[in-house]
Amino acid sequence: MDLEEAFQVVGEFGPYQQRAVAVLVLTQVYMACQSMLIVLIGSTPKYRIEQLDGVGSSQRELVTFTEDTDSIVTEWFLIKHQAYKVSLAGSLFFAGLLVGNIVFGPLSDRIGRRPVYLTGLFFEVIFGYVTAFAPSYEVFAVSRLLVGLMNGGIGLVCFVLTQEYVGKSYWAMTGTLTSMTFAVGIALFGALGYFIQPWRNLAMASNSSGVLFLLLSVTLPESPRWLYSKGQTQRAEEVLRYMALRNGNPANNLVLKRVCAAKAGNRDGRGAGVLQLVIHPVLRLRTMVLMYVWYACSLVYYGLTLGASEMSGSRYMNVAMYGLVELPAYPLCIYFINKHWAGRRKSMASFLCLAGSACLCTTFIPENAGALLNVTSLALLGKLMVSAAFNIAYVYTSELYPTVIRNAGLGVCSMSCRVGGILAPFVPSMRALHTSMPFTVFCLSGLSAGCLGLLLPETLNGPTTDTLEELGSPIHSRVLESKAHLYEDDKLKSNHK
């Protein structure tokens, strides 16, 4: 039997897979806290500067903060000519994410999902404590780079594991749960920051949850899909039988089809790597389009989120709202991406265009507008739409790449995504040029990515590919897509009868 038939015997989403996926999904709360940490601990309170005695270059200034706020800004006086260091620390985190995607994605395709995930999570917890106890800004900045490095690696592998532990029919749900929990993590971080305001205490509290998730993750098995794609059929059968036993489904006779080394992606790693994303005719176009889509999603998503503290009102409430506003996006995703008239492609493109349109509308709203329709409400609407598009991009991308190269494909797309993340902390500061400049950037990014996304093929009800040989040529891919549409039409006709 093939893998999908095996999951029918094991249970596509049985009790054991539910517990395993729950651990991986809840880890997103920890990752969200690390991603948003700079928003609160890097907040700049109001201050005044008094000129003291002196002439010329010897003149001294006395800085007095008028708000009772404890942050890296107040501790290391990151104001005026030093203010860029706050955005720099945020960008270093996203630079780490970029490198982590480059390194950990292909590495997990080569040596396995589980060892890469556990190692990355362990070191992220260690470097997170270095952030909390940093004696200087320089140590703090380096620790944020290293935390981002680990965060980028485990975030990618964590998402892939939630997909590969379950049957294909549950991929959309597990992918959506991952993104939804990340949004809940942002909201919880806003609440945590309200109750724990000294920045070192907040950094320590945010990092401590990682210890719990590390201990829970130790018992997770290797991905049976990865084992099978690498030709380790016997180990894949052992993992599947273990899952079946824990699900209460006897599967002693579970035997997978043997695949040759060539179809297993060449056990030594040749024939299935980042280079295939460039030389393979089908993957080349997909990768170019997906890289820009992920870049735009990240730029708009993190640009709006990191700018939350600059909006009027309580910074803690704003952070929580920018997390909670994502939650309605995920039921919308689950509904639209499983409908034959919408699917993955049209849904992602539509949400991106709507996010860009919402950001465009903010440029026509005066800052003193009413409480219902103002810049903040439109920015929240844009965040909701881009969150939906970002979630679909994760699910959609994992379906567009074969198992043997899935992590490499996701890694390259995530690398492009992190470029957007690196630029995102600096986009809100473009208000100095014009108040509408940040939203103009977000608008153009969303609209252009939405239009490009229409070039991708639809994957709804399409066949699962495990190897590059199954992916075939561009003509073969179009045939598979046509078969998927015919299958859906037949299904509708039978339901109508």
Side-chain angles (χ1 to χ4, degrees):
M1 64 180 68
D2 60 21
L3 270 176
E4 295 309 319
E5 292 173 340
F7 271 105
Q8 294 293 331
V9 175
V10 170
E12 287 193 284
F13 194 50
Y16 177 75
Q17 287 125 305
Q18 292 172 18
R19 291 191 294 271
V21 169
V23 172
L24 295 168
V25 165
L26 290 174
T27 305
Q28 297 298 313
V29 174
Y30 168 68
M31 297 176 66
C33 290
Q34 291 295 340
S35 299
M36 297 296 108
L37 189 64
I38 195 65
V39 176
L40 293 184
I41 71 172
S43 60
T44 303
K46 295 179 180 178
Y47 61 91
R48 65 172 182 268
I49 299 176
E50 298 177 7
Q51 303 294 333
L52 301 180
D53 296 336
V55 179
S57 59
S58 63
Q59 191 176 39
R60 294 180 299 167
E61 296 178 339
L62 176 63
V63 178
T64 304
F65 292 98
T66 58
E67 288 185 57
D68 185 18
T69 300
D70 179 45
S71 67
I72 62 172
V73 175
T74 60
E75 180 166 339
W76 293 314
F77 292 94
L78 304 181
I79 58 174
K80 296 182 67 177
H81 300 302
Q82 300 293 317
Y84 75 94
K85 291 185 176 180
V86 179
S87 296
L88 177 61
S91 290
L92 284 173
F93 175 85
F94 286 101
L97 291 181
L98 187 153
V99 178
N101 293 151
I102 296 173
V103 174
F104 285 88
L107 186 63
S108 67
D109 278 334
R110 182 178 291 272
I111 68 172
R113 317 304 200 206
R114 184 176 181 273
V116 171
Y117 172 71
L118 292 177
T119 303
L121 183 55
F122 173 78
F123 281 107
E124 181 171 0
V125 171
I126 297 298
F127 296 137
Y129 282 120
V130 174
T131 293
F133 293 103
S136 64
Y137 171 79
E138 289 73 21
V139 175
F140 173 84
V142 172
S143 72
R144 297 315 297 161
L145 175 66
L146 295 173
V147 168
L149 178 68
M150 299 301 136
N151 193 289
I154 68 171
L156 185 64
V157 181
C158 180
F159 175 80
V160 171
L161 280 173
T162 63
Q163 305 276 286
E164 296 187 349
Y165 279 160
V166 302
K168 188 178 183 295
S169 61
Y170 286 90
W171 282 11
M173 186 194 71
T174 56
T176 300
L177 283 174
T178 302
S179 300
M180 185 182 295
T181 310
F182 190 90
V184 173
I186 295 176
L188 291 176
F189 176 69
L192 187 66
Y194 177 79
F195 291 106
I196 306 175
Q197 297 193 6
W199 78 267
R200 291 185 184 275
N201 294 345
L202 177 59
M204 189 182 303
S206 301
N207 191 63
S208 295
S209 62
V211 178
L212 173 62
F213 295 125
L214 176 61
L215 295 175
L216 292 174
S217 299
V218 170
T219 60
L220 296 177
E222 183 55 88
S223 163
R225 292 183 184 274
W226 178 83
L227 291 170
Y228 186 69
S229 71
K230 288 297 180 180
Q232 302 181 39
T233 311
Q234 186 173 353
R235 287 187 59 195
E237 289 172 350
E238 290 174 359
V239 173
L240 289 170
R241 290 192 189 106
Y242 177 76
M243 287 182 173
L245 180 64
R246 301 296 296 271
N247 286 339
N249 299 326
N252 297 326
N253 298 324
L254 189 150
V255 179
L256 295 173
K257 286 191 304 184
R258 263 47 183 175
V259 291
C260 64
K263 287 190 176 182
N266 293 337
R267 294 186 185 185
D268 59 356
R270 294 191 300 270
V274 177
L275 185 61
Q276 289 292 336
L277 302 178
V278 178
I279 63 177
H280 197 286
V282 175
L283 295 177
R284 184 167 53 243
L285 176 62
R286 292 185 185 182
T287 301
M288 290 175 61
V289 173
L290 286 169
M291 284 178 69
Y292 185 75
V293 168
W294 279 60
Y295 160 80
C297 285
S298 179
L299 181 69
V300 180
Y301 180 92
Y302 286 108
L304 291 173
T305 306
L306 295 176
S309 62
E310 298 185 10
M311 295 293 181
S312 58
S314 168
R315 63 175 64 94
Y316 307 107
M317 180 60 72
N318 287 339
V319 171
M321 285 299 299
Y322 271 78
L324 292 175
V325 75
E326 295 184 39
L327 297 183
Y330 302 117
L332 289 176
C333 289
I334 294 175
Y335 177 78
F336 284 110
I337 66 177
N338 289 315
K339 296 296 181 180
H340 72 281
W341 46 265
R344 275 66 160 155
R345 179 184 60 181
K346 293 179 183 178
S347 297
M348 184 183 73
S350 299
F351 280 123
L352 277 169
C353 290
L354 288 172
S357 300
C359 292
L360 175 64
C361 292
T362 61
T363 61
F364 301 105
I365 301 295
E367 293 189 3
N368 57 352
L372 182 60
L373 185 63
N374 53 32
V375 172
T376 301
S377 61
L378 286 172
L380 288 171
L381 178 61
K383 176 68 186 301
L384 186 151
M385 294 298 155
V386 77
S387 299
F390 214 164
N391 176 63
I392 296 172
Y394 266 94
V395 176
Y396 192 23
T397 303
S398 67
E399 294 178 347
L400 285 170
Y401 287 109
T403 302
V404 73
I405 203 171
R406 183 170 296 127
N407 248 21
L410 281 166
V412 170
C413 292
S414 294
M415 177 188 69
S416 178
C417 162
R418 302 317 170 189
V419 174
I422 292 170
L423 298 176
F426 292 98
V427 175
S429 63
M430 295 176 70
R431 294 176 188 272
L433 300 176
H434 194 277
T435 54
S436 65
M437 186 61 70
F439 289 105
T440 301
V441 173
F442 299 147
C443 165
L444 295 176
S445 300
L447 291 175
S448 58
C451 293
L452 278 176
L454 293 173
L455 297 175
L456 297 169
E458 182 56 66
T459 59
L460 177 63
N461 294 319
T464 304
T465 56
D466 292 313
T467 66
L468 294 177
E469 287 77 9
E470 293 176 22
L471 189 63
S473 64
I475 296 176
H476 181 60
S477 296
R478 287 194 291 270
V479 170
L480 291 178
E481 186 178 353
S482 299
K483 287 182 178 179
H485 288 303
L486 289 173
Y487 170 80
E488 182 64 23
D489 292 340
D490 292 341
K491 184 178 177 182
L492 289 173
K493 288 177 182 178
S494 62
N495 290 338
H496 179 70
K497 290 179 181 179

